[in-house]
Amino acid sequence: TPPALSPTTSGFSPASVAVGGNVVMSCDFGSTFDSIAPSFTGGNCAWDNFYGTVAKYNCTATQTGTHTVYCGTFNLPPPGSNYCVTQTALAGTLNVVPDLTEGGTVFATGTPCNSSTEGPSKAFDNSSSTKWCNTPAPTTFVPASIMYDFAGITAYTVTRYTITTGNDVPGRDPKDWKFQGCQGTCTVGSGTGWVTLDTRTNQFSGANRYQTNTYSFANSTSYQQYRLRITANNGDPTYIQMSEIQLFEQ
């Protein structure tokens, strides 16, 4: 039995994610001579690359709950032999939580780039392979707004949301916005009744494609409607786009 090793660097980001969400994991036992892999019951991981002695994996969460994550080393075997796990080390716990955007209705201002394949509902379909693309490009005077209205009179106390960039054209990524809530009486393009819960500026500059950012804020009120009111993108003169928006209570 080999001696136990602790990774000199290990972890994952973010620490909380929805089912279907992306998690970047890294393990480092201080050597490039071992093949190093993360392991957890809540998802699946695909090899990325070594960065120095850090092994990086891109993972997808598949099960809700709190999952223990391990880093493990594999001895390099003789040709034709099976790999053998020689040691593991605890990297932490990952919380996989349910995204709240199920069964509601989506509204947006402006006009979809393609009404069949890039309408506002694509921002809430739990798939980063689709996207909401819209025109005109947002400005302070003519914002681009997208609203999620929960079914019936259902309301949730949202305290966190994620935004995932689209597949192309980084200039279309949202840059400045307000995240707002309403008790069920608001319309997507109106300024009446909305309560601003979170304000962000200068976001997604130089972002990767399909990059997911998480935004947390304090909120103790349940709202039936939530809106992202975007006042600037990252430079495209015509369009705004994103592949996914997710809402969470924790």
Side-chain angles (χ1 to χ4, degrees):
T1 301
L5 287 180
S6 297
T8 57
T9 303
S10 65
F12 43 89
S13 179
S16 182
V17 69
V19 170
N22 298 321
V23 184
V24 176
M25 296 190 177
S26 62
C27 298
D28 184 3
F29 283 83
S31 170
T32 58
F33 296 101
D34 292 330
S35 177
I36 309 170
S39 173
F40 74 111
T41 58
N44 303 310
C45 296
W47 163 253
D48 180 354
N49 211 335
F50 270 108
Y51 297 85
T53 60
V54 178
K56 179 181 174 184
Y57 281 74
N58 295 314
C59 306
T60 301
T62 60
Q63 301 176 32
T64 59
T66 300
H67 304 280
T68 302
V69 182
Y70 296 93
C71 288
T73 64
F74 294 76
N75 275 352
L76 297 177
S81 301
N82 294 324
Y83 285 91
C84 178
V85 177
T86 60
Q87 48 213 321
T88 61
L90 178 66
T93 55
L94 174 70
N95 189 27
V96 182
V97 299
D99 171 29
L100 298 173
T101 58
E102 304 289 342
T105 306
V106 184
F107 302 91
T109 58
T111 304
C113 305
N114 184 312
S115 58
S116 299
T117 61
E118 297 177 343
S121 65
K122 299 300 182 181
F124 297 96
D125 64 355
N126 296 315
S127 173
S128 59
S129 64
T130 62
K131 68 181 179 183
W132 170 55
C133 179
N134 212 58
T135 189
T139 67
T140 302
F141 300 103
V142 185
S145 294
I146 184 167
M147 177 183 82
Y148 192 88
D149 192 330
F150 291 105
I153 57 173
T154 303
Y156 292 100
T157 308
V158 171
T159 58
R160 181 167 57 93
Y161 62 98
T162 64
I163 298 175
T164 303
T165 60
N167 64 314
D168 59 5
V169 195
R172 298 177 183 177
D173 296 341
K175 179 182 179 181
D176 302 340
W177 67 78
K178 293 182 185 296
F179 183 78
Q180 302 173 312
C182 182
Q183 298 291 1
T185 60
C186 298
T187 58
V188 64
S190 171
T192 303
W194 291 102
V195 177
T196 297
L197 304 172
D198 187 52
T199 300
R200 302 287 170 165
T201 59
N202 299 316
Q203 300 298 302
F204 290 111
S205 175
N208 294 325
R209 301 303 82 205
Y210 305 113
Q211 177 176 315
T212 299
N213 285 6
T214 301
Y215 302 96
S216 299
F217 56 94
N219 176 38
S220 59
T221 302
S222 295
Y223 294 100
Q224 181 183 330
Q225 299 166 310
Y226 287 91
R227 176 174 76 164
L228 194 68
R229 186 178 185 268
I230 308 160
T231 53
N233 65 13
N234 273 277
D236 189 273
T238 309
Y239 301 108
I240 180 72
Q241 72 176 24
M242 61 199 71
S243 64
E244 195 68 19
I245 303 171
Q246 294 182 314
L247 309 180
F248 305 94
E249 279 195 307
Q250 50 183 306

